[in-house]
Amino acid sequence: MQAAWTNPNAGLADGEVDAALPRLPFPGQEAPRVEVLFGEERWGAPPSTHRLAGRAEIAFRELWDEPFVAAPAEPGAWRDHWPVAGECEGRPVRIGAATEQPDDWLCAIVGGYGIALAPASAARFTPAPAWSTARSPG
């Protein structure tokens, strides 16, 4: 089962499922038993026609003024984690499109509605954007 991004705990909070593989951080992660299996870098996914496309690495500060394709606002901190909301030195994050499912997310990126950040593994399964490693300063 694939959960909508408006349900980042993947059904754990309401007892819909007994086990899930959600991405941290998610709202209510303190309640269920959470075992971190592995961590991944965040990779940038600009449209192939974007000025940052094709670069091996993108610094987060280069993304501060870019519109992002992101989850809807409901997941709160989980949604804010992906478009580097806490790493923009107080600048507001611009949302170019909000999507609830990976296919819609990918279509919005390819359609030029914005750039996105995703786990590195997403690049293996969604080859359409021009993936780049996104790095925070320090």
Side-chain angles (χ1 to χ4, degrees), residues 5-76:
W5 290 340
T6 51
N7 182 14
N9 65 51
L12 288 172
D14 59 11
E16 185 179 335
V17 297
D18 294 326
L21 297 171
R23 297 215 182 263
L24 298 175
F26 66 84
Q29 72 186 47
E30 303 78 25
R33 180 174 162 230
V34 174
E35 188 74 32
V36 176
L37 300 178
F38 59 91
E40 293 183 86
E41 291 181 309
R42 283 182 285 183
W43 278 40
S48 60
T49 57
H50 192 277
R51 65 181 174 78
L52 297 173
R55 300 228 337 244
E57 189 169 305
I58 300 170
F60 283 169
R61 69 183 159 278
E62 294 179 87
L63 305 176
W64 288 350
D65 296 321
E66 295 291 330
F68 279 88
V69 176
E74 291 90 345

Side-chain angles (χ1 to χ4, degrees), residues 44-119:
S48 60
T49 57
H50 192 277
R51 65 181 174 78
L52 297 173
R55 300 228 337 244
E57 189 169 305
I58 300 170
F60 283 169
R61 69 183 159 278
E62 294 179 87
L63 305 176
W64 288 350
D65 296 321
E66 295 291 330
F68 279 88
V69 176
E74 291 90 345
W78 183 84
R79 181 246 183 117
D80 293 344
H81 171 77
W82 292 102
V84 297
E87 300 166 63
C88 293
E89 294 183 6
R91 293 180 168 172
V93 173
R94 292 178 43 212
I95 303 298
T99 63
E100 291 192 29
Q101 297 288 340
D103 289 345
D104 296 335
W105 173 82
L106 184 58
C107 287
I109 296 166
V110 172
Y113 289 94
I115 178 171
L117 291 177

